[in-house]
PDB file of all heavy atoms in Angstrom:
ATOM      1  N   PHE P 135     -94.184 153.936 151.919  1.00 95.00           N
ATOM      2  CA  PHE P 135     -95.287 154.742 151.360  1.00 95.00           C
ATOM      3  C   PHE P 135     -96.637 154.059 151.522  1.00 95.00           C
ATOM      4  O   PHE P 135     -97.618 154.680 151.950  1.00 95.00           O
ATOM      5  CB  PHE P 135     -95.019 155.018 149.876  1.00 95.00           C
ATOM      6  CG  PHE P 135     -96.016 155.963 149.266  1.00 95.00           C
ATOM      7  CD1 PHE P 135     -95.936 157.329 149.517  1.00 95.00           C
ATOM      8  CD2 PHE P 135     -97.030 155.504 148.444  1.00 95.00           C
ATOM      9  CE1 PHE P 135     -96.853 158.210 148.971  1.00 95.00           C
ATOM     10  CE2 PHE P 135     -97.955 156.376 147.889  1.00 95.00           C
ATOM     11  CZ  PHE P 135     -97.859 157.736 148.152  1.00 95.00           C
ATOM     12  N   VAL P 136     -96.686 152.779 151.194  1.00 94.00           N
ATOM     13  CA  VAL P 136     -97.977 152.072 151.198  1.00 94.00           C
ATOM     14  C   VAL P 136     -98.421 151.742 152.622  1.00 94.00           C
ATOM     15  O   VAL P 136     -99.619 151.813 152.937  1.00 94.00           O
ATOM     16  CB  VAL P 136     -97.877 150.785 150.355  1.00 94.00           C
ATOM     17  CG1 VAL P 136     -99.178 149.975 150.452  1.00 94.00           C
ATOM     18  CG2 VAL P 136     -97.574 151.123 148.902  1.00 94.00           C
ATOM     19  N   GLY P 137     -97.476 151.390 153.495  1.00 94.00           N
ATOM     20  CA  GLY P 137     -97.835 150.994 154.856  1.00 94.00           C
ATOM     21  C   GLY P 137     -98.685 152.023 155.597  1.00 94.00           C
ATOM     22  O   GLY P 137     -99.789 151.700 156.071  1.00 94.00           O
ATOM     23  N   PRO P 138     -98.227 153.268 155.743  1.00 93.00           N
ATOM     24  CA  PRO P 138     -99.029 154.275 156.447  1.00 93.00           C
ATOM     25  C   PRO P 138    -100.372 154.543 155.770  1.00 93.00           C
ATOM     26  O   PRO P 138    -101.369 154.823 156.456  1.00 93.00           O
ATOM     27  CB  PRO P 138     -98.134 155.522 156.407  1.00 93.00           C
ATOM     28  CG  PRO P 138     -96.753 154.990 156.274  1.00 93.00           C
ATOM     29  CD  PRO P 138     -96.877 153.778 155.408  1.00 93.00           C
ATOM     30  N   LEU P 139    -100.395 154.475 154.422  1.00 92.00           N
ATOM     31  CA  LEU P 139    -101.661 154.694 153.720  1.00 92.00           C
ATOM     32  C   LEU P 139    -102.671 153.613 154.063  1.00 92.00           C
ATOM     33  O   LEU P 139    -103.847 153.908 154.352  1.00 92.00           O
ATOM     34  CB  LEU P 139    -101.425 154.726 152.207  1.00 92.00           C
ATOM     35  CG  LEU P 139    -100.625 155.900 151.650  1.00 92.00           C
ATOM     36  CD1 LEU P 139    -100.510 155.776 150.139  1.00 92.00           C
ATOM     37  CD2 LEU P 139    -101.274 157.230 152.014  1.00 92.00           C
ATOM     38  N   LEU P 140    -102.240 152.352 154.052  1.00 93.00           N
ATOM     39  CA  LEU P 140    -103.144 151.256 154.394  1.00 93.00           C
ATOM     40  C   LEU P 140    -103.574 151.330 155.854  1.00 93.00           C
ATOM     41  O   LEU P 140    -104.741 151.059 156.190  1.00 93.00           O
ATOM     42  CB  LEU P 140    -102.463 149.912 154.115  1.00 93.00           C
ATOM     43  CG  LEU P 140    -102.198 149.577 152.644  1.00 93.00           C
ATOM     44  CD1 LEU P 140    -101.480 148.237 152.531  1.00 93.00           C
ATOM     45  CD2 LEU P 140    -103.503 149.559 151.861  1.00 93.00           C
ATOM     46  N   LEU P 141    -102.634 151.685 156.730  1.00 91.00           N
ATOM     47  CA  LEU P 141    -102.957 151.797 158.146  1.00 91.00           C
ATOM     48  C   LEU P 141    -103.988 152.893 158.384  1.00 91.00           C
ATOM     49  O   LEU P 141    -104.985 152.685 159.098  1.00 91.00           O
ATOM     50  CB  LEU P 141    -101.687 152.100 158.947  1.00 91.00           C
ATOM     51  CG  LEU P 141    -101.861 152.260 160.457  1.00 91.00           C
ATOM     52  CD1 LEU P 141    -102.401 150.970 161.064  1.00 91.00           C
ATOM     53  CD2 LEU P 141    -100.550 152.655 161.113  1.00 91.00           C
ATOM     54  N   GLY P 142    -103.759 154.047 157.791  1.00 88.00           N
ATOM     55  CA  GLY P 142    -104.708 155.152 157.951  1.00 88.00           C
ATOM     56  C   GLY P 142    -106.063 154.818 157.369  1.00 88.00           C
ATOM     57  O   GLY P 142    -107.105 155.118 157.979  1.00 88.00           O
ATOM     58  N   PHE P 143    -106.064 154.185 156.192  1.00 88.00           N
ATOM     59  CA  PHE P 143    -107.336 153.819 155.558  1.00 88.00           C
ATOM     60  C   PHE P 143    -108.075 152.782 156.395  1.00 88.00           C
ATOM     61  O   PHE P 143    -109.291 152.861 156.576  1.00 88.00           O
ATOM     62  CB  PHE P 143    -107.075 153.275 154.153  1.00 88.00           C
ATOM     63  CG  PHE P 143    -108.323 152.910 153.411  1.00 88.00           C
ATOM     64  CD1 PHE P 143    -109.086 153.887 152.796  1.00 88.00           C
ATOM     65  CD2 PHE P 143    -108.732 151.579 153.330  1.00 88.00           C
ATOM     66  CE1 PHE P 143    -110.247 153.543 152.105  1.00 88.00           C
ATOM     67  CE2 PHE P 143    -109.887 151.231 152.646  1.00 88.00           C
ATOM     68  CZ  PHE P 143    -110.650 152.219 152.029  1.00 88.00           C
ATOM     69  N   GLY P 144    -107.313 151.802 156.923  1.00 88.00           N
ATOM     70  CA  GLY P 144    -107.950 150.766 157.725  1.00 88.00           C
ATOM     71  C   GLY P 144    -108.587 151.317 158.987  1.00 88.00           C
ATOM     72  O   GLY P 144    -109.705 150.931 159.352  1.00 88.00           O
ATOM     73  N   ILE P 145    -107.893 152.235 159.662  1.00 87.00           N
ATOM     74  CA  ILE P 145    -108.437 152.830 160.884  1.00 87.00           C
ATOM     75  C   ILE P 145    -109.634 153.706 160.563  1.00 87.00           C
ATOM     76  O   ILE P 145    -110.671 153.659 161.251  1.00 87.00           O
ATOM     77  CB  ILE P 145    -107.355 153.652 161.609  1.00 87.00           C
ATOM     78  CG1 ILE P 145    -106.234 152.727 162.095  1.00 87.00           C
ATOM     79  CG2 ILE P 145    -107.959 154.422 162.777  1.00 87.00           C
ATOM     80  CD1 ILE P 145    -105.069 153.465 162.715  1.00 87.00           C
ATOM     81  N   ALA P 146    -109.514 154.526 159.523  1.00 83.00           N
ATOM     82  CA  ALA P 146    -110.586 155.469 159.189  1.00 83.00           C
ATOM     83  C   ALA P 146    -111.854 154.762 158.734  1.00 83.00           C
ATOM     84  O   ALA P 146    -112.961 155.184 159.063  1.00 83.00           O
ATOM     85  CB  ALA P 146    -110.107 156.434 158.100  1.00 83.00           C
ATOM     86  N   VAL P 147    -111.693 153.662 158.005  1.00 82.00           N
ATOM     87  CA  VAL P 147    -112.859 152.961 157.469  1.00 82.00           C
ATOM     88  C   VAL P 147    -113.367 151.898 158.444  1.00 82.00           C
ATOM     89  O   VAL P 147    -114.572 151.720 158.608  1.00 82.00           O
ATOM     90  CB  VAL P 147    -112.506 152.304 156.110  1.00 82.00           C
ATOM     91  CG1 VAL P 147    -113.664 151.452 155.597  1.00 82.00           C
ATOM     92  CG2 VAL P 147    -112.146 153.372 155.085  1.00 82.00           C
ATOM     93  N   GLY P 148    -112.437 151.203 159.099  1.00 80.00           N
ATOM     94  CA  GLY P 148    -112.833 150.103 159.959  1.00 80.00           C
ATOM     95  C   GLY P 148    -113.433 150.525 161.289  1.00 80.00           C
ATOM     96  O   GLY P 148    -114.283 149.829 161.841  1.00 80.00           O
ATOM     97  N   ALA P 149    -113.005 151.677 161.804  1.00 77.00           N
ATOM     98  CA  ALA P 149    -113.524 152.137 163.093  1.00 77.00           C
ATOM     99  C   ALA P 149    -114.728 153.056 162.877  1.00 77.00           C
ATOM    100  O   ALA P 149    -114.843 153.734 161.860  1.00 77.00           O
ATOM    101  CB  ALA P 149    -112.424 152.876 163.855  1.00 77.00           C
TER     102      ALA P 149
END
Side-chain angles (χ1 to χ4, degrees):
F135 186 77
V136 175
L139 293 181
L140 292 178
L141 179 61
F143 182 80
I145 295 175
V147 174

